[in-house]
Amino acid sequence: MNAMLDFGYQSLPMRVVMGPHALDRLAEEIDRAGLKRVVILCSPEQEALAVTVAGLIGERAAGIHPHARMHVPVESATRARDRVAELNADGCVAVGGGSAIGLGKAVALRHGLPIIAVPTTYAGSEMTPVWGLTEDGVKRTGKDPRVLPVSVLYDPELTVTLPAIVSATSGMNAIAHAVEALYAPDTSPVVGLMAEEGVRALATALPDIVADGTDLEARAQAQYGAWLCGACLGATTMSLHHKLCHALGGTLDLPHAPTHTVVLPHALAYNQPAAPRAVAALGRALDGATDPAMWLWELAGRLGAPRSLQELGMVEGDIEPIVRIALANPYANPREVTDEGLTRMLRAAWSGRPPTG
Ligand code: NAD
């Protein structure tokens, strides 16, 4: 028999437009949001795409600011906020991955300007009211409804240039959101459905994308999965896996998506014994897998993605301080996080051994 239903769920107010040539509908979305002059934000590498976007929206484009950087350094946020004020803009269009969208959030946090997001990775930031700012090597995060984009356009054609390895790690980053949402303290049946479907879509699409980055059907499936996994992230509170990745990224400056890719199978293996419903849902999503953690570790191998923290540049001596940081602030987790358990888990992730919990 099913357990008695007992949950809370808050749906977030935003529009999603998904499909081939979704970008062509950007002008319509800007008008629908009542915006007249938007600044296009992107990372330096996506400047050419931002120019195309400006061409598509004509006089609605107030300017392009191609200076987004990973983890939103405060100096970069200040520069973007000043530029948006100078241009007298009334909104931002963030085109790119989590870095561009993060910059849009930093502007929204200060000026309250609405964001329209055009994601080109699978990181999922566009679906959350969570912002992040990095100062003196410390990343602060917070929640504010003003940073949630009003509208998100998913156009698979914008992702065909995403290299195989970035697609693989970004997709694993998205899967991590759904995995932790399944055992989150504030999970719900709706979140469970989104998480299961999101993991299924990404796990199916990623091998096809790595084989052929121009496979538009696989690209669309991956974006669909990224949307659902991002929505799971926006709806729940994350646990061990995300806390550990935050500590590794913030303290050692390890790259975001590859770190998630390496840690996920290990964090999941640690939590699996205490999260039977999550294991069952992941089993349904992953071809009937009985050990989803091992299945995801093997998937990372098949995708050619990194599987050890060592290869991301972490040295063995960093394990102990990271364990200290990860234990310093308590958070909800299905299984008690102990010094000994965390050290064992991080050692396996560092050396690239299969996950054992
Ligand atoms: P990113 O935005 O830095 O993109 C990764 C790389 O991919 C960059 O070099 C970028 O130039 C390149 N790229 C992006 N789109 C491309 C495309 N279509 N073709 C070719 N190259 C492309 O990184 P990310 O992994 O998307 O996002 C990570 C950041 O987002 C981190 O700072 C993380 O903390 C943040 N994040 C925040 C949330 C949230 O809810 N606030 C959620 C997830 C991630």
Side-chain angles (χ1 to χ4, degrees), residues 95-135:
V95 184
S99 300
I101 294 165
L103 189 60
K105 289 177 166 183
V107 172
L109 197 61
R110 169 66 54 83
H111 297 312
L113 299 187
I115 307 167
I116 296 182
V118 184
T120 62
T121 70
Y122 309 127
S125 176
E126 67 279 2
M127 283 296 134
T128 84
V130 178
W131 54 266
L133 280 172
T134 305
E135 189 166 20

mmCIF file of all heavy atoms in Angstrom, residues 95-135:
data_model
loop_
_atom_site.group_PDB
_atom_site.id
_atom_site.type_symbol
_atom_site.label_atom_id
_atom_site.label_comp_id
_atom_site.label_asym_id
_atom_site.label_seq_id
_atom_site.Cartn_x
_atom_site.Cartn_y
_atom_site.Cartn_z
ATOM 1 N N VAL A 95 21.577 34.832 -22.389
ATOM 2 C CA VAL A 95 21.757 33.788 -23.399
ATOM 3 C C VAL A 95 23.004 32.996 -23.040
ATOM 4 O O VAL A 95 24.097 33.566 -22.995
ATOM 5 C CB VAL A 95 21.968 34.414 -24.800
ATOM 6 C CG1 VAL A 95 22.054 33.320 -25.854
ATOM 7 C CG2 VAL A 95 20.859 35.383 -25.131
ATOM 8 N N GLY A 96 22.863 31.702 -22.782
ATOM 9 C CA GLY A 96 24.045 30.897 -22.486
ATOM 10 C C GLY A 96 23.794 29.912 -21.359
ATOM 11 O O GLY A 96 22.650 29.515 -21.101
ATOM 12 N N GLY A 97 24.859 29.556 -20.671
ATOM 13 C CA GLY A 97 24.756 28.585 -19.589
ATOM 14 C C GLY A 97 24.463 29.250 -18.260
ATOM 15 O O GLY A 97 24.024 30.411 -18.197
ATOM 16 N N GLY A 98 24.743 28.519 -17.191
ATOM 17 C CA GLY A 98 24.473 29.014 -15.842
ATOM 18 C C GLY A 98 25.221 30.301 -15.531
ATOM 19 O O GLY A 98 24.755 31.100 -14.707
ATOM 20 N N SER A 99 26.350 30.536 -16.191
ATOM 21 C CA SER A 99 27.112 31.753 -15.910
ATOM 22 C C SER A 99 26.362 32.993 -16.404
ATOM 23 O O SER A 99 26.264 33.994 -15.694
ATOM 24 C CB SER A 99 28.493 31.691 -16.569
ATOM 25 O OG SER A 99 29.205 30.583 -16.068
ATOM 26 N N ALA A 100 25.836 32.938 -17.632
ATOM 27 C CA ALA A 100 25.084 34.077 -18.186
ATOM 28 C C ALA A 100 23.798 34.299 -17.398
ATOM 29 O O ALA A 100 23.434 35.432 -17.065
ATOM 30 C CB ALA A 100 24.778 33.820 -19.659
ATOM 31 N N ILE A 101 23.121 33.220 -17.085
ATOM 32 C CA ILE A 101 21.850 33.347 -16.358
ATOM 33 C C ILE A 101 22.129 33.849 -14.931
ATOM 34 O O ILE A 101 21.402 34.687 -14.397
ATOM 35 C CB ILE A 101 21.083 32.009 -16.390
ATOM 36 C CG1 ILE A 101 20.670 31.739 -17.844
ATOM 37 C CG2 ILE A 101 19.849 32.053 -15.481
ATOM 38 C CD1 ILE A 101 20.219 30.340 -18.141
ATOM 39 N N GLY A 102 23.244 33.384 -14.358
ATOM 40 C CA GLY A 102 23.641 33.859 -13.023
ATOM 41 C C GLY A 102 23.895 35.358 -13.018
ATOM 42 O O GLY A 102 23.559 36.049 -12.050
ATOM 43 N N LEU A 103 24.459 35.872 -14.100
ATOM 44 C CA LEU A 103 24.711 37.316 -14.182
ATOM 45 C C LEU A 103 23.376 38.067 -14.271
ATOM 46 O O LEU A 103 23.199 39.111 -13.630
ATOM 47 C CB LEU A 103 25.604 37.623 -15.392
ATOM 48 C CG LEU A 103 26.119 39.057 -15.488
ATOM 49 C CD1 LEU A 103 26.957 39.439 -14.267
ATOM 50 C CD2 LEU A 103 26.957 39.247 -16.757
ATOM 51 N N GLY A 104 22.460 37.523 -15.051
ATOM 52 C CA GLY A 104 21.115 38.124 -15.130
ATOM 53 C C GLY A 104 20.468 38.172 -13.755
ATOM 54 O O GLY A 104 19.823 39.163 -13.381
ATOM 55 N N LYS A 105 20.681 37.120 -12.972
ATOM 56 C CA LYS A 105 20.100 37.084 -11.628
ATOM 57 C C LYS A 105 20.732 38.153 -10.728
ATOM 58 O O LYS A 105 20.041 38.781 -9.915
ATOM 59 C CB LYS A 105 20.297 35.688 -11.018
ATOM 60 C CG LYS A 105 19.415 34.633 -11.674
ATOM 61 C CD LYS A 105 19.677 33.256 -11.094
ATOM 62 C CE LYS A 105 18.570 32.281 -11.494
ATOM 63 N NZ LYS A 105 18.766 30.941 -10.893
ATOM 64 N N ALA A 106 22.039 38.359 -10.894
ATOM 65 C CA ALA A 106 22.717 39.377 -10.081
ATOM 66 C C ALA A 106 22.151 40.761 -10.399
ATOM 67 O O ALA A 106 21.980 41.591 -9.496
ATOM 68 C CB ALA A 106 24.221 39.343 -10.359
ATOM 69 N N VAL A 107 21.832 41.011 -11.678
ATOM 70 C CA VAL A 107 21.244 42.295 -12.072
ATOM 71 C C VAL A 107 19.824 42.392 -11.496
ATOM 72 O O VAL A 107 19.431 43.421 -10.931
ATOM 73 C CB VAL A 107 21.226 42.440 -13.621
ATOM 74 C CG1 VAL A 107 20.439 43.674 -14.030
ATOM 75 C CG2 VAL A 107 22.646 42.503 -14.169
ATOM 76 N N ALA A 108 19.071 41.314 -11.619
ATOM 77 C CA ALA A 108 17.686 41.316 -11.120
ATOM 78 C C ALA A 108 17.649 41.561 -9.614
ATOM 79 O O ALA A 108 16.765 42.248 -9.100
ATOM 80 C CB ALA A 108 17.010 39.987 -11.462
ATOM 81 N N LEU A 109 18.634 41.023 -8.938
ATOM 82 C CA LEU A 109 18.684 41.151 -7.477
ATOM 83 C C LEU A 109 18.862 42.610 -7.076
ATOM 84 O O LEU A 109 18.260 43.074 -6.102
ATOM 85 C CB LEU A 109 19.875 40.320 -6.955
ATOM 86 C CG LEU A 109 19.922 39.978 -5.491
ATOM 87 C CD1 LEU A 109 18.727 39.160 -5.070
ATOM 88 C CD2 LEU A 109 21.212 39.206 -5.190
ATOM 89 N N ARG A 110 19.662 43.366 -7.830
ATOM 90 C CA ARG A 110 19.921 44.771 -7.511
ATOM 91 C C ARG A 110 18.836 45.688 -8.072
ATOM 92 O O ARG A 110 18.293 46.540 -7.388
ATOM 93 C CB ARG A 110 21.299 45.158 -8.081
ATOM 94 C CG ARG A 110 21.615 46.654 -8.058
ATOM 95 C CD ARG A 110 21.746 47.254 -6.651
ATOM 96 N NE ARG A 110 22.705 46.549 -5.841
ATOM 97 C CZ ARG A 110 24.017 46.754 -5.860
ATOM 98 N NH1 ARG A 110 24.510 47.687 -6.643
ATOM 99 N NH2 ARG A 110 24.828 46.045 -5.099
ATOM 100 N N HIS A 111 18.497 45.505 -9.361
ATOM 101 C CA HIS A 111 17.600 46.460 -10.027
ATOM 102 C C HIS A 111 16.165 45.969 -10.153
ATOM 103 O O HIS A 111 15.302 46.723 -10.606
ATOM 104 C CB HIS A 111 18.124 46.778 -11.441
ATOM 105 C CG HIS A 111 19.469 47.445 -11.462
ATOM 106 N ND1 HIS A 111 19.781 48.518 -10.672
ATOM 107 C CD2 HIS A 111 20.591 47.182 -12.172
ATOM 108 C CE1 HIS A 111 21.033 48.902 -10.908
ATOM 109 N NE2 HIS A 111 21.548 48.090 -11.809
ATOM 110 N N GLY A 112 15.944 44.711 -9.811
ATOM 111 C CA GLY A 112 14.586 44.160 -9.920
ATOM 112 C C GLY A 112 14.101 44.004 -11.356
ATOM 113 O O GLY A 112 12.904 43.893 -11.596
ATOM 114 N N LEU A 113 15.021 43.993 -12.333
ATOM 115 C CA LEU A 113 14.592 43.889 -13.732
ATOM 116 C C LEU A 113 14.284 42.440 -14.118
ATOM 117 O O LEU A 113 15.040 41.530 -13.770
ATOM 118 C CB LEU A 113 15.680 44.417 -14.674
ATOM 119 C CG LEU A 113 16.083 45.879 -14.509
ATOM 120 C CD1 LEU A 113 17.038 46.285 -15.623
ATOM 121 C CD2 LEU A 113 14.867 46.783 -14.516
ATOM 122 N N PRO A 114 13.210 42.213 -14.849
ATOM 123 C CA PRO A 114 12.858 40.841 -15.247
ATOM 124 C C PRO A 114 13.906 40.237 -16.189
ATOM 125 O O PRO A 114 14.536 40.951 -16.975
ATOM 126 C CB PRO A 114 11.535 41.003 -15.994
ATOM 127 C CG PRO A 114 11.075 42.390 -15.761
ATOM 128 C CD PRO A 114 12.257 43.210 -15.352
ATOM 129 N N ILE A 115 14.030 38.915 -16.111
ATOM 130 C CA ILE A 115 14.965 38.172 -16.976
ATOM 131 C C ILE A 115 14.168 37.289 -17.915
ATOM 132 O O ILE A 115 13.230 36.594 -17.491
ATOM 133 C CB ILE A 115 15.864 37.220 -16.146
ATOM 134 C CG1 ILE A 115 16.569 37.958 -15.018
ATOM 135 C CG2 ILE A 115 16.853 36.477 -17.043
ATOM 136 C CD1 ILE A 115 17.202 37.006 -14.000
ATOM 137 N N ILE A 116 14.589 37.273 -19.179
ATOM 138 C CA ILE A 116 14.137 36.221 -20.096
ATOM 139 C C ILE A 116 15.377 35.376 -20.352
ATOM 140 O O ILE A 116 16.447 35.915 -20.658
ATOM 141 C CB ILE A 116 13.570 36.815 -21.397
ATOM 142 C CG1 ILE A 116 12.309 37.624 -21.042
ATOM 143 C CG2 ILE A 116 13.248 35.704 -22.403
ATOM 144 C CD1 ILE A 116 11.593 38.236 -22.226
ATOM 145 N N ALA A 117 15.272 34.069 -20.168
ATOM 146 C CA ALA A 117 16.454 33.207 -20.285
ATOM 147 C C ALA A 117 16.386 32.368 -21.549
ATOM 148 O O ALA A 117 15.322 31.848 -21.915
ATOM 149 C CB ALA A 117 16.569 32.303 -19.063
ATOM 150 N N VAL A 118 17.551 32.263 -22.202
ATOM 151 C CA VAL A 118 17.686 31.380 -23.363
ATOM 152 C C VAL A 118 18.861 30.441 -23.049
ATOM 153 O O VAL A 118 20.005 30.723 -23.382
ATOM 154 C CB VAL A 118 17.968 32.197 -24.646
ATOM 155 C CG1 VAL A 118 18.010 31.274 -25.858
ATOM 156 C CG2 VAL A 118 16.928 33.297 -24.846
ATOM 157 N N PRO A 119 18.588 29.322 -22.360
ATOM 158 C CA PRO A 119 19.683 28.461 -21.901
ATOM 159 C C PRO A 119 20.321 27.676 -23.046
ATOM 160 O O PRO A 119 19.614 27.202 -23.945
ATOM 161 C CB PRO A 119 18.990 27.483 -20.939
ATOM 162 C CG PRO A 119 17.584 27.935 -20.806
ATOM 163 C CD PRO A 119 17.271 28.837 -21.950
ATOM 164 N N THR A 120 21.644 27.568 -22.995
ATOM 165 C CA THR A 120 22.340 26.782 -24.019
ATOM 166 C C THR A 120 23.172 25.657 -23.398
ATOM 167 O O THR A 120 23.993 25.039 -24.072
ATOM 168 C CB THR A 120 23.258 27.676 -24.878
ATOM 169 O OG1 THR A 120 24.251 28.242 -24.025
ATOM 170 C CG2 THR A 120 22.479 28.777 -25.565
ATOM 171 N N THR A 121 23.000 25.424 -22.103
ATOM 172 C CA THR A 121 23.572 24.224 -21.458
ATOM 173 C C THR A 121 22.420 23.556 -20.703
ATOM 174 O O THR A 121 21.269 24.001 -20.806
ATOM 175 C CB THR A 121 24.708 24.566 -20.457
ATOM 176 O OG1 THR A 121 24.137 25.214 -19.315
ATOM 177 C CG2 THR A 121 25.770 25.457 -21.072
ATOM 178 N N TYR A 122 22.747 22.545 -19.911
ATOM 179 C CA TYR A 122 21.683 21.823 -19.196
ATOM 180 C C TYR A 122 21.714 22.097 -17.688
ATOM 181 O O TYR A 122 21.119 21.365 -16.900
ATOM 182 C CB TYR A 122 21.817 20.309 -19.465
ATOM 183 C CG TYR A 122 21.915 19.985 -20.943
ATOM 184 C CD1 TYR A 122 22.954 19.210 -21.449
ATOM 185 C CD2 TYR A 122 20.971 20.476 -21.839
ATOM 186 C CE1 TYR A 122 23.055 18.921 -22.812
ATOM 187 C CE2 TYR A 122 21.063 20.209 -23.204
ATOM 188 C CZ TYR A 122 22.100 19.438 -23.685
ATOM 189 O OH TYR A 122 22.186 19.165 -25.028
ATOM 190 N N ALA A 123 22.400 23.191 -17.275
ATOM 191 C CA ALA A 123 22.642 23.435 -15.845
ATOM 192 C C ALA A 123 21.369 23.666 -15.024
ATOM 193 O O ALA A 123 21.319 23.329 -13.848
ATOM 194 C CB ALA A 123 23.596 24.619 -15.681
ATOM 195 N N GLY A 124 20.350 24.283 -15.626
ATOM 196 C CA GLY A 124 19.053 24.382 -14.940
ATOM 197 C C GLY A 124 18.826 25.639 -14.119
ATOM 198 O O GLY A 124 17.755 25.809 -13.525
ATOM 199 N N SER A 125 19.779 26.564 -14.108
ATOM 200 C CA SER A 125 19.633 27.773 -13.278
ATOM 201 C C SER A 125 18.383 28.571 -13.638
ATOM 202 O O SER A 125 17.774 29.223 -12.787
ATOM 203 C CB SER A 125 20.889 28.639 -13.445
ATOM 204 O OG SER A 125 20.766 29.832 -12.744
ATOM 205 N N GLU A 126 17.989 28.498 -14.918
ATOM 206 C CA GLU A 126 16.834 29.276 -15.399
ATOM 207 C C GLU A 126 15.526 28.900 -14.699
ATOM 208 O O GLU A 126 14.551 29.635 -14.762
ATOM 209 C CB GLU A 126 16.677 29.104 -16.918
ATOM 210 C CG GLU A 126 16.276 27.714 -17.411
ATOM 211 C CD GLU A 126 17.454 26.731 -17.498
ATOM 212 O OE1 GLU A 126 18.574 27.113 -17.149
ATOM 213 O OE2 GLU A 126 17.215 25.576 -17.901
ATOM 214 N N MET A 127 15.513 27.761 -14.035
ATOM 215 C CA MET A 127 14.279 27.286 -13.406
ATOM 216 C C MET A 127 14.228 27.574 -11.907
ATOM 217 O O MET A 127 13.320 27.104 -11.224
ATOM 218 C CB MET A 127 14.165 25.760 -13.593
ATOM 219 C CG MET A 127 13.724 25.361 -14.958
ATOM 220 S SD MET A 127 12.057 25.973 -15.256
ATOM 221 C CE MET A 127 12.255 26.643 -16.880
ATOM 222 N N THR A 128 15.228 28.302 -11.386
ATOM 223 C CA THR A 128 15.274 28.464 -9.927
ATOM 224 C C THR A 128 15.314 29.927 -9.488
ATOM 225 O O THR A 128 15.838 30.782 -10.206
ATOM 226 C CB THR A 128 16.515 27.761 -9.321
ATOM 227 O OG1 THR A 128 17.653 28.642 -9.419
ATOM 228 C CG2 THR A 128 16.842 26.452 -10.005
ATOM 229 N N PRO A 129 14.811 30.186 -8.288
ATOM 230 C CA PRO A 129 14.933 31.534 -7.713
ATOM 231 C C PRO A 129 16.216 31.677 -6.900
ATOM 232 O O PRO A 129 16.311 32.522 -6.008
ATOM 233 C CB PRO A 129 13.692 31.625 -6.813
ATOM 234 C CG PRO A 129 13.437 30.212 -6.384
ATOM 235 C CD PRO A 129 13.992 29.297 -7.447
ATOM 236 N N VAL A 130 17.216 30.842 -7.198
ATOM 237 C CA VAL A 130 18.472 30.850 -6.424
ATOM 238 C C VAL A 130 19.525 31.683 -7.158
ATOM 239 O O VAL A 130 19.762 31.477 -8.340
ATOM 240 C CB VAL A 130 19.008 29.409 -6.244
ATOM 241 C CG1 VAL A 130 20.334 29.416 -5.489
ATOM 242 C CG2 VAL A 130 17.981 28.550 -5.534
ATOM 243 N N TRP A 131 20.127 32.636 -6.428
ATOM 244 C CA TRP A 131 21.222 33.425 -7.006
ATOM 245 C C TRP A 131 22.524 33.057 -6.303
ATOM 246 O O TRP A 131 22.517 32.491 -5.199
ATOM 247 C CB TRP A 131 20.952 34.932 -6.880
ATOM 248 C CG TRP A 131 20.655 35.386 -5.470
ATOM 249 C CD1 TRP A 131 19.415 35.531 -4.910
ATOM 250 C CD2 TRP A 131 21.616 35.697 -4.434
ATOM 251 N NE1 TRP A 131 19.546 35.924 -3.598
ATOM 252 C CE2 TRP A 131 20.877 36.033 -3.283
ATOM 253 C CE3 TRP A 131 23.008 35.720 -4.367
ATOM 254 C CZ2 TRP A 131 21.492 36.396 -2.077
ATOM 255 C CZ3 TRP A 131 23.621 36.073 -3.171
ATOM 256 C CH2 TRP A 131 22.866 36.412 -2.046
ATOM 257 N N GLY A 132 23.653 33.376 -6.940
ATOM 258 C CA GLY A 132 24.967 33.130 -6.336
ATOM 259 C C GLY A 132 25.897 34.283 -6.677
ATOM 260 O O GLY A 132 25.814 34.849 -7.768
ATOM 261 N N LEU A 133 26.748 34.656 -5.740
ATOM 262 C CA LEU A 133 27.739 35.719 -5.952
ATOM 263 C C LEU A 133 29.026 35.284 -5.264
ATOM 264 O O LEU A 133 28.978 34.758 -4.140
ATOM 265 C CB LEU A 133 27.279 37.027 -5.309
ATOM 266 C CG LEU A 133 26.263 37.895 -6.046
ATOM 267 C CD1 LEU A 133 25.808 39.038 -5.147
ATOM 268 C CD2 LEU A 133 26.843 38.454 -7.346
ATOM 269 N N THR A 134 30.157 35.497 -5.944
ATOM 270 C CA THR A 134 31.427 35.053 -5.348
ATOM 271 C C THR A 134 32.310 36.254 -5.025
ATOM 272 O O THR A 134 32.540 37.110 -5.874
ATOM 273 C CB THR A 134 32.159 34.104 -6.323
ATOM 274 O OG1 THR A 134 31.262 33.043 -6.648
ATOM 275 C CG2 THR A 134 33.402 33.512 -5.688
ATOM 276 N N GLU A 135 32.774 36.287 -3.780
ATOM 277 C CA GLU A 135 33.645 37.376 -3.331
ATOM 278 C C GLU A 135 34.761 36.790 -2.491
ATOM 279 O O GLU A 135 34.508 35.995 -1.581
ATOM 280 C CB GLU A 135 32.832 38.377 -2.490
ATOM 281 C CG GLU A 135 33.615 39.625 -2.169
ATOM 282 C CD GLU A 135 32.716 40.752 -1.652
ATOM 283 O OE1 GLU A 135 31.598 40.450 -1.193
ATOM 284 O OE2 GLU A 135 33.142 41.910 -1.720
#
